[in-house]
Amino acid sequence: MQNSTKKNLLFALAYAVVLAIGILLGQNYADENQTVGNNSFIPLGLTDKTGKVQKTLQLIQERYVEKVVLDTLQDAAITEMLTRLDPHSSYLAPRQAKAIAENLSGSFDGIGIEYFSVNDTLIVTGMVSDCPAEKAGILRGDKLIWINDSLIAGANRSRQEISDLVRGKRGTTLNVWVSRSGKEIESPIQIKRDKINVSTIDAAYMMQPRTAYIKIKRFGEHTSEEFEAALKALKKNNFDKLILDLRENGGGYFYSALAVADQFFPPDSLLVYTDGANEERTDYYSTPNGLYEKGDLVVLIDENSASSSEIVAGAVQDLHRGVIIGRRSYGKGLVQEQFDFGDGSALNLTVAKYYTPSGRSIQKSYKRGNINYFNELNQRFLSGELTSQSIQQTDSISPDGDVYENGSGKLITISGGIMPDIYVPMDTTGLTPFYHVVQEQDLIRNFIYHRMIDSPPSFAVENFIEDYEIPNTVYRDFIRFVREENVSVSLAESNLSRSIIEGDMKAILGKFFFGNEAWFKVRNHQDPTIMRSLQVLNN
């Protein structure tokens, strides 16, 4: 935490979390004085106006006609106050704060399995490499019957219940009964919980002889080390072209994104700077010895690339280091700092804005309800109602955004985010109402794990990606399956969505039989954005 932030902590809390302080200090005051009466209690450092909120809490606690759970009231009040600020300042309950911390740290204590529920039966669909479950003998396709003394099969337990059963203190033992190949194994499999490390690098492989591909799913605590390790491993293949995939990457740690961007630039290049009302401007520069300062570079973004992803893309674009390809990014240019309350809950408070090297703030407007207007325009743009062909596009560093024709000659301005150098529209041909229903009900994975995982392919992953096709009979069986699940489907929608559904099926099978990276190899094989990137790099 920077010194300036520490100095302004009381200031921030006075305006955003005064109720949290009020409860703590107010309770102490009440305990010591027994009565409140009409006495004013204004904690040190707070103003008369914030003291009114403090006293209100005390009055509710001491005099209200009914008993009130003040913790719940306090949480609701904090949340309501934060709605008056920006869309990214947020209050995190203890469970939320813990989940986010584990997600960004990339580690937790558990056994390392992935699972999916089919007809109230949990099937193991994947495992972290070298995890405790794998070491103990759990296999993909195993069906979980019991975990310790808790029945799993047919019990219709929630994901949170399963997570609570599986995770636990490192070193403790878990007894798991499974069914394998239709036969229940009589003795339990004993698994000792351990630290599970989940990489933030989804895939890193050679896409072509001189072209490497790296997919980062989020910027976590160890992303910079993982990215550096991936670059070093791929350098053995002498690549001089790199596709960095930041699509669907919602951000994460600011410094992890800086460390990744640092690999692409010579020393002393301004990568980003931050500034705020209570935070002095801070400039962040590249350091010496970047591992990929000279090769060709493409960065992929989409509407779900946000925050830290936009820091990397913005630096690459502004400094002309590479080509940005895809769709306009989300538009989150605010920096949050986390303040812990001591009970496990926390406040993520926006303390500054960040700016790209040319001075762009990529934060989309959120004042006076504009964020809802922006989201509406963005959805219309993605759906094709607003065309990607602009009759005028302002300079990329203009704070007013980019101007598009909506098909009737009217100009629409969409501000915020990083507009790619090369726009690749979303192919919405197969995104029929039928496909959306299938996705919402997770029927594709349900079908695959119920019908198609008993016979592993007899060929290598490379042959699977290049040559395997979903048989015609399988798609017909799938249509029958969804109708049995009371989903109506027309012949026209079935035909329109067939290609995208079969692509999903192949990716799920690839991941199940060959591991997580195979999912991305399958998806990338016919991905229009990937194909456009390869054209740019090869030309």
Short mmCIF file of all heavy atoms in Angstrom, two decimals, residues 374-426:
data_model
loop_
_atom_site.label_atom_id
_atom_site.label_comp_id
_atom_site.label_asym_id
_atom_site.label_seq_id
_atom_site.Cartn_x
_atom_site.Cartn_y
_atom_site.Cartn_z
N PHE A 374 -24.32 2.83 -22.29
CA PHE A 374 -23.17 2.24 -22.98
C PHE A 374 -23.36 0.75 -23.17
O PHE A 374 -23.12 0.20 -24.24
CB PHE A 374 -21.88 2.49 -22.18
CG PHE A 374 -20.68 1.78 -22.76
CD1 PHE A 374 -19.93 2.36 -23.76
CD2 PHE A 374 -20.35 0.51 -22.33
CE1 PHE A 374 -18.86 1.69 -24.31
CE2 PHE A 374 -19.28 -0.17 -22.87
CZ PHE A 374 -18.52 0.44 -23.86
N ASN A 375 -23.80 0.06 -22.11
CA ASN A 375 -23.99 -1.39 -22.22
C ASN A 375 -25.03 -1.74 -23.28
O ASN A 375 -24.89 -2.72 -24.01
CB ASN A 375 -24.41 -1.96 -20.87
CG ASN A 375 -23.26 -1.99 -19.88
OD1 ASN A 375 -22.10 -2.01 -20.29
ND2 ASN A 375 -23.57 -1.97 -18.59
N GLU A 376 -26.08 -0.92 -23.37
CA GLU A 376 -27.10 -1.16 -24.39
C GLU A 376 -26.50 -1.00 -25.79
O GLU A 376 -26.71 -1.83 -26.67
CB GLU A 376 -28.26 -0.18 -24.20
CG GLU A 376 -29.36 -0.33 -25.26
CD GLU A 376 -30.43 0.74 -25.15
OE1 GLU A 376 -30.43 1.48 -24.14
OE2 GLU A 376 -31.23 0.85 -26.08
N LEU A 377 -25.73 0.09 -25.97
CA LEU A 377 -25.11 0.30 -27.27
C LEU A 377 -24.12 -0.82 -27.60
O LEU A 377 -24.05 -1.29 -28.74
CB LEU A 377 -24.38 1.65 -27.29
CG LEU A 377 -25.23 2.91 -27.32
CD1 LEU A 377 -24.33 4.14 -27.33
CD2 LEU A 377 -26.15 2.93 -28.52
N ASN A 378 -23.37 -1.23 -26.58
CA ASN A 378 -22.38 -2.27 -26.82
C ASN A 378 -23.04 -3.57 -27.25
O ASN A 378 -22.56 -4.26 -28.16
CB ASN A 378 -21.54 -2.48 -25.55
CG ASN A 378 -20.26 -3.25 -25.83
OD1 ASN A 378 -19.59 -3.00 -26.83
ND2 ASN A 378 -19.91 -4.15 -24.95
N GLN A 379 -24.15 -3.93 -26.61
CA GLN A 379 -24.87 -5.15 -27.00
C GLN A 379 -25.42 -5.03 -28.42
O GLN A 379 -25.37 -5.99 -29.20
CB GLN A 379 -26.00 -5.43 -26.01
CG GLN A 379 -25.52 -5.88 -24.64
CD GLN A 379 -24.67 -7.14 -24.72
OE1 GLN A 379 -25.00 -8.09 -25.43
NE2 GLN A 379 -23.55 -7.14 -24.02
N ARG A 380 -25.94 -3.86 -28.78
CA ARG A 380 -26.44 -3.66 -30.14
C ARG A 380 -25.31 -3.73 -31.15
O ARG A 380 -25.47 -4.25 -32.25
CB ARG A 380 -27.15 -2.30 -30.23
CG ARG A 380 -28.46 -2.25 -29.45
CD ARG A 380 -28.97 -0.83 -29.34
NE ARG A 380 -29.24 -0.25 -30.64
CZ ARG A 380 -29.36 1.05 -30.86
NH1 ARG A 380 -29.23 1.90 -29.85
NH2 ARG A 380 -29.61 1.50 -32.07
N PHE A 381 -24.15 -3.23 -30.74
CA PHE A 381 -22.99 -3.27 -31.62
C PHE A 381 -22.53 -4.71 -31.85
O PHE A 381 -22.26 -5.14 -32.97
CB PHE A 381 -21.87 -2.43 -31.00
CG PHE A 381 -20.61 -2.37 -31.82
CD1 PHE A 381 -20.62 -1.80 -33.08
CD2 PHE A 381 -19.42 -2.86 -31.32
CE1 PHE A 381 -19.47 -1.72 -33.83
CE2 PHE A 381 -18.27 -2.80 -32.07
CZ PHE A 381 -18.28 -2.23 -33.33
N LEU A 382 -22.49 -5.50 -30.75
CA LEU A 382 -22.05 -6.89 -30.85
C LEU A 382 -23.04 -7.74 -31.64
O LEU A 382 -22.65 -8.68 -32.32
CB LEU A 382 -21.85 -7.47 -29.45
CG LEU A 382 -20.72 -6.85 -28.62
CD1 LEU A 382 -20.73 -7.43 -27.21
CD2 LEU A 382 -19.38 -7.08 -29.27
N SER A 383 -24.32 -7.40 -31.53
CA SER A 383 -25.34 -8.19 -32.22
C SER A 383 -25.42 -7.86 -33.70
O SER A 383 -26.08 -8.55 -34.46
CB SER A 383 -26.71 -7.93 -31.58
OG SER A 383 -27.13 -6.59 -31.83
N GLY A 384 -24.74 -6.77 -34.12
CA GLY A 384 -24.74 -6.40 -35.53
C GLY A 384 -25.73 -5.32 -35.87
O GLY A 384 -25.79 -4.86 -37.01
N GLU A 385 -26.54 -4.89 -34.90
CA GLU A 385 -27.49 -3.81 -35.17
C GLU A 385 -26.76 -2.51 -35.50
O GLU A 385 -27.19 -1.75 -36.36
CB GLU A 385 -28.41 -3.60 -33.96
CG GLU A 385 -29.49 -2.55 -34.20
CD GLU A 385 -30.37 -2.37 -32.98
OE1 GLU A 385 -30.31 -3.21 -32.07
OE2 GLU A 385 -31.13 -1.38 -32.96
N LEU A 386 -25.64 -2.29 -34.81
CA LEU A 386 -24.73 -1.20 -35.18
C LEU A 386 -23.60 -1.83 -35.97
O LEU A 386 -22.95 -2.75 -35.50
CB LEU A 386 -24.18 -0.50 -33.93
CG LEU A 386 -25.22 0.05 -32.95
CD1 LEU A 386 -24.52 0.77 -31.82
CD2 LEU A 386 -26.15 1.01 -33.66
N THR A 387 -23.33 -1.33 -37.16
CA THR A 387 -22.35 -1.97 -38.03
C THR A 387 -20.94 -1.61 -37.61
O THR A 387 -20.68 -0.57 -37.01
CB THR A 387 -22.55 -1.55 -39.50
OG1 THR A 387 -22.22 -0.16 -39.62
CG2 THR A 387 -23.98 -1.78 -39.94
N SER A 388 -20.01 -2.50 -37.94
CA SER A 388 -18.60 -2.24 -37.64
C SER A 388 -17.97 -1.32 -38.69
O SER A 388 -16.85 -0.87 -38.53
CB SER A 388 -17.83 -3.56 -37.59
OG SER A 388 -17.90 -4.20 -38.84
N GLN A 389 -18.69 -1.09 -39.78
CA GLN A 389 -18.18 -0.19 -40.80
C GLN A 389 -18.54 1.24 -40.44
O GLN A 389 -19.69 1.63 -40.48
CB GLN A 389 -18.76 -0.55 -42.18
CG GLN A 389 -18.42 -1.96 -42.63
CD GLN A 389 -16.93 -2.14 -42.79
OE1 GLN A 389 -16.23 -1.26 -43.27
NE2 GLN A 389 -16.43 -3.29 -42.37
N SER A 390 -17.58 2.02 -40.03
CA SER A 390 -17.85 3.39 -39.62
C SER A 390 -17.69 4.33 -40.80
O SER A 390 -16.83 4.13 -41.65
CB SER A 390 -16.90 3.81 -38.51
OG SER A 390 -15.58 3.77 -38.95
N ILE A 391 -18.56 5.33 -40.87
CA ILE A 391 -18.38 6.35 -41.90
C ILE A 391 -17.45 7.44 -41.39
O ILE A 391 -17.01 8.29 -42.14
CB ILE A 391 -19.72 6.96 -42.34
CG1 ILE A 391 -20.42 7.64 -41.16
CG2 ILE A 391 -20.62 5.92 -42.94
CD1 ILE A 391 -21.68 8.38 -41.56
N GLN A 392 -17.18 7.39 -40.10
CA GLN A 392 -16.19 8.29 -39.53
C GLN A 392 -15.70 7.67 -38.24
O GLN A 392 -16.48 7.17 -37.46
CB GLN A 392 -16.78 9.68 -39.23
CG GLN A 392 -15.76 10.63 -38.58
CD GLN A 392 -16.42 11.93 -38.15
OE1 GLN A 392 -17.59 12.12 -38.37
NE2 GLN A 392 -15.65 12.79 -37.53
N GLN A 393 -14.41 7.67 -38.03
CA GLN A 393 -13.87 7.18 -36.77
C GLN A 393 -12.89 8.22 -36.24
O GLN A 393 -11.97 8.62 -36.94
CB GLN A 393 -13.15 5.84 -36.94
CG GLN A 393 -12.60 5.30 -35.62
CD GLN A 393 -12.08 3.89 -35.76
OE1 GLN A 393 -12.69 3.06 -36.42
NE2 GLN A 393 -10.96 3.62 -35.15
N THR A 394 -13.12 8.68 -35.03
CA THR A 394 -12.27 9.70 -34.46
C THR A 394 -10.91 9.12 -34.12
O THR A 394 -10.71 7.91 -34.14
CB THR A 394 -12.90 10.27 -33.19
OG1 THR A 394 -13.00 9.22 -32.23
CG2 THR A 394 -14.27 10.85 -33.46
N ASP A 395 -9.98 10.00 -33.78
CA ASP A 395 -8.64 9.55 -33.40
C ASP A 395 -8.75 8.62 -32.20
O ASP A 395 -9.58 8.81 -31.31
CB ASP A 395 -7.77 10.75 -33.04
CG ASP A 395 -6.32 10.36 -32.86
OD1 ASP A 395 -5.97 9.89 -31.76
OD2 ASP A 395 -5.56 10.49 -33.81
N SER A 396 -7.88 7.61 -32.15
CA SER A 396 -8.01 6.58 -31.11
C SER A 396 -7.78 7.13 -29.71
O SER A 396 -8.18 6.52 -28.74
CB SER A 396 -7.00 5.46 -31.37
OG SER A 396 -5.68 5.96 -31.31
N ILE A 397 -7.14 8.30 -29.58
CA ILE A 397 -6.92 8.84 -28.24
C ILE A 397 -7.96 9.88 -27.87
O ILE A 397 -7.87 10.54 -26.86
CB ILE A 397 -5.50 9.45 -28.09
CG1 ILE A 397 -5.34 10.68 -28.99
CG2 ILE A 397 -4.43 8.44 -28.38
CD1 ILE A 397 -4.05 11.44 -28.74
N SER A 398 -8.97 10.04 -28.72
CA SER A 398 -10.03 11.01 -28.42
C SER A 398 -10.85 10.55 -27.23
O SER A 398 -11.23 9.38 -27.15
CB SER A 398 -10.95 11.17 -29.64
OG SER A 398 -12.13 11.83 -29.26
N PRO A 399 -11.13 11.42 -26.28
CA PRO A 399 -11.96 11.02 -25.13
C PRO A 399 -13.41 10.79 -25.52
O PRO A 399 -14.18 10.26 -24.74
CB PRO A 399 -11.83 12.21 -24.18
CG PRO A 399 -11.56 13.38 -25.07
CD PRO A 399 -10.72 12.84 -26.20
N ASP A 400 -13.81 11.18 -26.72
CA ASP A 400 -15.20 11.04 -27.14
C ASP A 400 -15.50 9.69 -27.75
O ASP A 400 -16.63 9.42 -28.12
CB ASP A 400 -15.55 12.15 -28.15
CG ASP A 400 -15.44 13.52 -27.54
OD1 ASP A 400 -15.77 13.67 -26.36
OD2 ASP A 400 -15.01 14.43 -28.25
N GLY A 401 -14.49 8.86 -27.92
CA GLY A 401 -14.72 7.52 -28.42
C GLY A 401 -14.75 7.46 -29.94
O GLY A 401 -14.27 8.34 -30.63
N ASP A 402 -15.32 6.40 -30.46
CA ASP A 402 -15.37 6.14 -31.89
C ASP A 402 -16.80 6.23 -32.38
O ASP A 402 -17.74 5.89 -31.67
CB ASP A 402 -14.79 4.76 -32.21
CG ASP A 402 -13.34 4.66 -31.76
OD1 ASP A 402 -12.61 5.63 -31.96
OD2 ASP A 402 -12.98 3.61 -31.21
N VAL A 403 -16.96 6.67 -33.63
CA VAL A 403 -18.28 6.95 -34.17
C VAL A 403 -18.63 5.91 -35.22
O VAL A 403 -17.84 5.63 -36.11
CB VAL A 403 -18.32 8.37 -34.80
CG1 VAL A 403 -19.72 8.68 -35.31
CG2 VAL A 403 -17.90 9.41 -33.76
N TYR A 404 -19.85 5.33 -35.12
CA TYR A 404 -20.27 4.29 -36.05
C TYR A 404 -21.61 4.63 -36.67
O TYR A 404 -22.44 5.32 -36.08
CB TYR A 404 -20.39 2.94 -35.32
CG TYR A 404 -19.07 2.43 -34.84
CD1 TYR A 404 -18.60 2.77 -33.58
CD2 TYR A 404 -18.26 1.66 -35.66
CE1 TYR A 404 -17.37 2.33 -33.14
CE2 TYR A 404 -17.03 1.21 -35.24
CZ TYR A 404 -16.60 1.55 -33.97
OH TYR A 404 -15.37 1.12 -33.54
N GLU A 405 -21.83 4.10 -37.86
CA GLU A 405 -23.13 4.24 -38.52
C GLU A 405 -24.01 3.09 -38.09
O GLU A 405 -23.58 1.94 -38.04
CB GLU A 405 -22.96 4.20 -40.03
CG GLU A 405 -24.27 4.39 -40.78
CD GLU A 405 -24.12 4.10 -42.26
OE1 GLU A 405 -23.05 3.62 -42.66
OE2 GLU A 405 -25.08 4.34 -42.99
N ASN A 406 -25.26 3.38 -37.76
CA ASN A 406 -26.16 2.32 -37.30
C ASN A 406 -26.99 1.72 -38.42
O ASN A 406 -27.94 1.00 -38.18
CB ASN A 406 -27.08 2.85 -36.19
CG ASN A 406 -28.10 3.85 -36.72
OD1 ASN A 406 -28.05 4.25 -37.88
ND2 ASN A 406 -29.00 4.28 -35.86
N GLY A 407 -26.60 2.00 -39.66
CA GLY A 407 -27.31 1.41 -40.79
C GLY A 407 -28.33 2.32 -41.41
O GLY A 407 -28.79 2.08 -42.52
N SER A 408 -28.71 3.38 -40.72
CA SER A 408 -29.71 4.31 -41.27
C SER A 408 -29.12 5.71 -41.44
O SER A 408 -29.86 6.67 -41.59
CB SER A 408 -30.92 4.36 -40.33
OG SER A 408 -30.54 4.85 -39.07
N GLY A 409 -27.80 5.79 -41.39
CA GLY A 409 -27.16 7.07 -41.58
C GLY A 409 -26.91 7.84 -40.30
O GLY A 409 -26.24 8.87 -40.30
N LYS A 410 -27.42 7.33 -39.18
CA LYS A 410 -27.25 8.01 -37.91
C LYS A 410 -25.91 7.61 -37.29
O LYS A 410 -25.52 6.45 -37.31
CB LYS A 410 -28.39 7.66 -36.95
CG LYS A 410 -28.32 8.39 -35.61
CD LYS A 410 -29.50 7.99 -34.73
CE LYS A 410 -29.43 8.70 -33.38
NZ LYS A 410 -30.55 8.30 -32.50
N LEU A 411 -25.21 8.60 -36.71
CA LEU A 411 -23.94 8.32 -36.06
C LEU A 411 -24.15 8.03 -34.58
O LEU A 411 -24.87 8.74 -33.89
CB LEU A 411 -22.99 9.51 -36.21
CG LEU A 411 -22.54 9.82 -37.64
CD1 LEU A 411 -21.63 11.04 -37.64
CD2 LEU A 411 -21.82 8.64 -38.24
N ILE A 412 -23.49 6.97 -34.11
CA ILE A 412 -23.55 6.59 -32.71
C ILE A 412 -22.14 6.61 -32.15
O ILE A 412 -21.22 6.06 -32.74
CB ILE A 412 -24.14 5.18 -32.52
CG1 ILE A 412 -25.57 5.13 -33.07
CG2 ILE A 412 -24.12 4.77 -31.06
CD1 ILE A 412 -26.56 5.96 -32.28
N THR A 413 -21.93 7.25 -31.01
CA THR A 413 -20.62 7.28 -30.37
C THR A 413 -20.58 6.26 -29.24
O THR A 413 -21.45 6.25 -28.38
CB THR A 413 -20.31 8.68 -29.82
OG1 THR A 413 -20.29 9.61 -30.89
CG2 THR A 413 -18.96 8.69 -29.12
N ILE A 414 -19.60 5.40 -29.28
CA ILE A 414 -19.38 4.43 -28.21
C ILE A 414 -18.01 4.73 -27.61
O ILE A 414 -17.00 4.61 -28.28
CB ILE A 414 -19.42 2.99 -28.73
CG1 ILE A 414 -20.75 2.71 -29.43
CG2 ILE A 414 -19.21 2.00 -27.60
CD1 ILE A 414 -20.86 1.32 -30.00
N SER A 415 -17.99 5.14 -26.35
CA SER A 415 -16.73 5.52 -25.73
C SER A 415 -16.24 4.43 -24.79
O SER A 415 -16.98 3.55 -24.39
CB SER A 415 -16.91 6.82 -24.94
OG SER A 415 -17.85 6.64 -23.91
N GLY A 416 -14.97 4.51 -24.43
CA GLY A 416 -14.38 3.58 -23.48
C GLY A 416 -13.80 2.36 -24.15
O GLY A 416 -14.17 1.97 -25.25
N GLY A 417 -12.86 1.72 -23.45
CA GLY A 417 -12.25 0.50 -23.96
C GLY A 417 -11.16 0.76 -24.98
O GLY A 417 -10.86 1.88 -25.34
N ILE A 418 -10.58 -0.34 -25.43
CA ILE A 418 -9.55 -0.31 -26.48
C ILE A 418 -10.20 -0.80 -27.77
O ILE A 418 -10.71 -1.91 -27.84
CB ILE A 418 -8.37 -1.24 -26.13
CG1 ILE A 418 -7.70 -0.81 -24.82
CG2 ILE A 418 -7.36 -1.28 -27.27
CD1 ILE A 418 -6.96 0.49 -24.88
N MET A 419 -10.20 0.06 -28.78
CA MET A 419 -10.70 -0.35 -30.09
C MET A 419 -9.57 -1.04 -30.83
O MET A 419 -8.49 -0.48 -30.97
CB MET A 419 -11.19 0.86 -30.88
CG MET A 419 -11.84 0.51 -32.19
SD MET A 419 -13.37 -0.45 -31.97
CE MET A 419 -13.74 -0.88 -33.68
N PRO A 420 -9.75 -2.27 -31.29
CA PRO A 420 -8.66 -3.00 -31.95
C PRO A 420 -8.24 -2.34 -33.25
O PRO A 420 -9.03 -1.64 -33.89
CB PRO A 420 -9.24 -4.39 -32.18
CG PRO A 420 -10.72 -4.20 -32.15
CD PRO A 420 -10.99 -3.09 -31.20
N ASP A 421 -7.00 -2.58 -33.65
CA ASP A 421 -6.51 -2.09 -34.94
C ASP A 421 -7.22 -2.83 -36.08
O ASP A 421 -7.48 -2.25 -37.13
CB ASP A 421 -5.00 -2.30 -35.04
CG ASP A 421 -4.25 -1.62 -33.91
OD1 ASP A 421 -4.51 -0.42 -33.68
OD2 ASP A 421 -3.43 -2.28 -33.24
N ILE A 422 -7.50 -4.09 -35.86
CA ILE A 422 -8.23 -4.90 -36.84
C ILE A 422 -9.44 -5.50 -36.14
O ILE A 422 -9.30 -6.26 -35.18
CB ILE A 422 -7.35 -6.01 -37.43
CG1 ILE A 422 -6.16 -5.40 -38.18
CG2 ILE A 422 -8.15 -6.92 -38.36
CD1 ILE A 422 -5.17 -6.43 -38.69
N TYR A 423 -10.62 -5.13 -36.61
CA TYR A 423 -11.85 -5.58 -35.99
C TYR A 423 -12.32 -6.88 -36.63
O TYR A 423 -12.43 -6.98 -37.85
CB TYR A 423 -12.93 -4.50 -36.11
CG TYR A 423 -14.25 -4.90 -35.49
CD1 TYR A 423 -14.45 -4.78 -34.13
CD2 TYR A 423 -15.29 -5.41 -36.27
CE1 TYR A 423 -15.64 -5.16 -33.55
CE2 TYR A 423 -16.49 -5.78 -35.69
CZ TYR A 423 -16.66 -5.65 -34.34
OH TYR A 423 -17.84 -6.04 -33.77
N VAL A 424 -12.60 -7.88 -35.82
CA VAL A 424 -13.15 -9.15 -36.30
C VAL A 424 -14.52 -9.32 -35.66
O VAL A 424 -14.62 -9.55 -34.45
CB VAL A 424 -12.25 -10.35 -35.93
CG1 VAL A 424 -12.86 -11.65 -36.46
CG2 VAL A 424 -10.85 -10.15 -36.50
N PRO A 425 -15.60 -9.17 -36.42
CA PRO A 425 -16.94 -9.23 -35.83
C PRO A 425 -17.26 -10.61 -35.30
O PRO A 425 -16.72 -11.62 -35.76
CB PRO A 425 -17.86 -8.86 -37.00
CG PRO A 425 -17.08 -9.21 -38.22
CD PRO A 425 -15.65 -8.98 -37.90
N MET A 426 -18.15 -10.64 -34.34
CA MET A 426 -18.63 -11.91 -33.80
C MET A 426 -19.53 -12.59 -34.83
O MET A 426 -20.41 -11.95 -35.39
CB MET A 426 -19.40 -11.66 -32.50
CG MET A 426 -19.95 -12.93 -31.85
SD MET A 426 -21.00 -12.56 -30.42
CE MET A 426 -19.80 -11.88 -29.29
#
